[in-house]
Each structure stands twice: as C-alpha cells, then as structure tokens.
Amino acid sequence: MFNGRLDLLQHIGANTLQRFRRLGRGSLFLFDVVVGCASLISRPGLLIKQLYSVGVQTLLIIVVAGLFVGMVMALQSYYALVDFGAEDSVGVMVALSLLRELGPVITALLFAGRAGSALTAEIGLMKATEQLSGMEMMAVNPMKRIIAPRFLAGFLSMPLLATIFSAVGVMGAYVVAVEFLGLDSGAFWSQPQNKVDLYLDIYNGIIKSVVFGFVATWIAVFEGYDCVPTSEGLGQATTRTVVHSSLAILFLDFVLTALMFAK
Amino acid sequence: MSDILVKIRDLHFSRGNRKIFDGLSMDIPRQGITAIMGPSGTGKTTLLKLMGGQLRPDSGSVEVDGLNVHQLSTKKLFELRKRMGMLFQSGALLTDLTVFENVAYPLREHTQLNDAMIRHLVLLKLNAVGLRGAAEMSPSELSGGMARRVALARAIALDPMMVMYDEPFTGQDPISMGVLVSLISELNSALNICSIVVSHDVPETMSIADHVHIISAGKVIESGSPASLENSESAWTHQFVHGDADGPVPFHYPAKPLLDDLYTGS
C-alpha cells in the first residue's frame, strides 16, 4: 500500500520534471529560432518559399471554412432574431462574432491542423532521415535555414489568414441573409459600419490571431525538431502538435478575451 | 604539423544508463584510410558524431587538427566542420533539391563563387563519383548506392581535410559496393586526405584500409594494419575478422541449460 503510493508519487514527480524539462527546451529553442530569424534578411527567398507553403497552401481550407461558417451564422442569427423583429442585426452579429472570436480561433485551429501538422511532419522527417544532422555537419545551422523561415512564415500568415476568414465569412453571411432570406442589403451593411469598432473589434482580433500564430507555429516546429526520429515518434509528435496547439489556442483565447473586453 | 589528425583520449559517453564508451582512446593519422570496426551497437556512428561535435562526451577529449572539438564556440566549430566531410548512412540528401543543387549546397552556403564556377565544380565532383548524368534527378529517383555517391560528392565539395564514412557499404548490392569501395580508395589517394570508415563489413573495409581500430564494450580492443589483424592471436579479434559463429561472443544468448528448460515445464 505504502509502496504503491510512493510509486505514484514518484511517477507524478518524474512526469512533472519531464514536462518542465521539455518546456525549458522549448523556450531555449524559441530563443534560437527568434535569433535565427535575423538571418532571413539576407535570404528572403527562404521566407517567401515558406510563406507559399504555409500560408498560400492553407488558403483554400480557410476560404471554404470561412464561407460556410459565415453562412451558418447568418442562418442561425436570422432564426433567433426574426422572432424579435431584429433580423436587420444579422450583419453586425455575424461581423462581430467573426472579427472578435470565430475568425482568429477557427483559423488558428484549422491552421494547426493543416499547416502545423505538416510543419511537424516535414521537420520530423528531415530529422529522421538525418537531413538536419547532414546540414549541421556541412556547417549550416538548420535553425537559420530550416526552422526560422517556417516559424516566421507561420507567424506572418496567421493574421492574414484570419482576416481573409472573417472577410469571406461576412460575404457568406451576406449571400444567405440578403440573397436567400431577403434581408435589406443596406441594413445588412449599415449596422456593422456603425457598431464595429476599429480598435476594440478589428485590432483586437488581429492581436489574437498574431498570438495564436506565434504559439501554434512554435509548437509545430518544436515538436518536429524535438521528436523521436522514428515513424512512431513522428506520429506522436504530429498528434501532439494538433492537440497542444488547439488547447493552447482555446486557453489563450479565453485569457485574451478576458483582458481585451473586460469592463 | 602533427601526423595525427584526430586524437581521442579517455572518452566516456553514455546514453541513459547504458555506457557506450568507457575510456576509449585512439589516434587517427592525417593521411590514409582508417577503419573503425566493431559489431552493431558498439557506438561506431556515435564516435563519428562525437568527432564532428554533434554529441558531447561525459568526459575525455576529442581533438581534430589540434582543436578540442567540445571546447570550441559554435562559430569555430562550424569553421572546423567546413574542413570535415561526412557521408551519412542514409545519404542525408536534402529531398527538396536536385542532385546538382545538393552538391552545390555547401558551395552556395560557404563561398562567394559565381554560378558558372559553382556549376563547373559541381559537375567535376559529380563526374568523380560517376553521376554527372544524374545531375538533374531528384534524390527520390536515386537508388541507395547512387544516393551515397551523391552524398560523397557533396561531402568533398569544399575539399575537406577529412571525410567520415558512416557504414558506407550497408545494404548495397555487390556492384554498388564495389563502386563505393573503389571510390573511397581512389578519392583518398587523389585528394590525399584522411578518410575514416566506420563499418562492420570486414572484407570490403579491410581491403582498402591502411589502419584498423576494432572497438567493443566501449574500448579499443585491438589496432593495427589489416594484415596484422587478420593474423591476430586475440580470440575476439579472430572471431570478428573471420565471422565465426561461436567464440568469445557466444552463439547462444545466456540461458539455463536446455534440458533444465525443457523439463521444468514453465
């Protein structure tokens, strides 16, 4: 009985230490990556290539998801508001929801699932096939040539993708609300123009997406770099990227919302 | 200038609780082919990574060209690595680049040569390994042997003072193996460099090596010329060099007697 409790305590202690060790490694890794980003000034081609791979290739899923989210929100808002005769507020409701919450959050979750997992798998596979070791032995720092461009590309892409998501979502809502449900086009647009605040709504949404992009890309590149270089280790790292990124995004969303919109 | 290029002294290295090196010492001359041989799992690849500064020892020192590898700053270590070539077991070619660009990679990273000069140098290196015609292929289109030859061309791109070969013959068909054996030997003679071949393919490695170190259980068991090791009086060396199934390394994994095992019924 006593031994069992001792084992449990030892297990918890070892697990906690391992997590802190990993957090420490991740923080040192982040420092190296941020320092490595400076080298991209002389090699912009590396960043542009990754912006295409991480950002442009994620665009399709973002546009399609944004369109459907906007359309569904218009339908749901309309059915809820029409009973109170407030259906003209569909536009502002969709716009505020997308700009403040759904745009940054859903984009970040999709980004983690699509681009984040791809980054982890790519870097992990480079590690497993000794490409990173090979670069080190050629006196080339993989932090500068491989990790930093991917990190910066993810960081820069996220706010742009979130903005596109929100814009497309509003367009989807317009199509449903005005073209299908017959709302007045002027009412749909005028309320958002009056109610949406540049600083409180748009800037805060962009700040959220910047934070999410930073965290999701950091987790993705670190998991790839730190993975056990086997097929099983690579699979676990990819799963961890999606799970940890999603949880971190949702937790940070709560913290940021509490800070930004507290009265 | 010392005749010894790599000097390893009292090297200790562990992975977790497993001791890999337990006071290993060896010298590797500046010229010629030095083979480091031993059974699988004895830490031959780990030793190369320690020489290249990719791993840090628990204690002991590794000096390459008079520089203690593990006391160098990152910048100086990278400067040293420009003079070291390494051929990885997998080839470690960058999969998003063509064969040509793989060989050009270290030249583009570390020199200010113009494109025309880089093209000449890359084609010459590829020609040396017989793969000039494969310059525009991607690594995924190459066979294992071809990938290693491209990796070899890349390893000598900066004209290094030493090239480390990690299990160059593993998994090769007889023709590819023959090509690699002669390439390592010819390049070493032509470039007059230090070649360190880590391998457990005894006949192929012995046929080209000038010096051989046999390692096991974290230490150097025996060193000498291939001929002296062929006729070694050490039972262990004899078993390894001649590939005997039984000897100091027993055929059977330690167990209780067979009859006891059969009649205990559990």
Side-chain angles (χ1 to χ4, degrees), chain A residues 46-88:
Chain A
L46 290 172
L47 178 62
I48 291 166
K49 191 177 168 191
Q50 291 309 318
L51 278 172
Y52 175 77
S53 167
V54 174
V56 177
Q57 293 196 328
T58 311
L59 201 54
L60 183 64
I61 188 174
I62 295 297
V63 168
V64 174
L67 189 68
F68 284 117
V69 167
M71 289 166 81
V72 168
M73 283 200 61
L75 276 178
Q76 293 283 18
S77 313
Y78 178 83
Y79 293 136
L81 295 172
V82 75
D83 290 343
F84 306 101
E87 65 270 24
D88 285 349

Side-chain angles (χ1 to χ4, degrees), chain B residues 17-86:
Chain B
N17 293 326
R18 190 173 158 239
K19 221 171 211 338
I20 309 285
F21 296 123
D22 186 15
L24 180 136
S25 297
M26 75 167 59
D27 289 332
I28 296 174
R30 191 171 285 278
Q31 282 164 0
I33 299 175
T34 299
I36 299 171
M37 305 176 79
S40 299
T42 45
K44 302 185 294 294
T45 301
T46 305
L47 188 58
L48 288 187
K49 289 192 170 178
L50 283 160
M51 286 183 205
Q54 289 190 295
L55 294 173
R56 296 191 76 81
D58 300 333
S59 63
S61 66
V62 179
E63 281 185 20
V64 176
D65 200 24
L67 300 168
N68 188 325
V69 172
H70 301 101
Q71 288 181 352
L72 295 175
S73 63
T74 307
K75 194 178 173 194
K76 285 188 175 161
L77 179 63
F78 274 31
E79 284 302 318
L80 179 65
R81 281 182 184 163
K82 287 181 196 171
R83 298 189 287 138
M84 303 162 100
M86 180 149 176

Side-chain angles (χ1 to χ4, degrees), chain A residues 102-118:
Chain A
L102 294 177
V105 172
I106 296 181
T107 305
L109 293 175
L110 291 170
F111 180 83
R114 195 270 169 212
S117 58

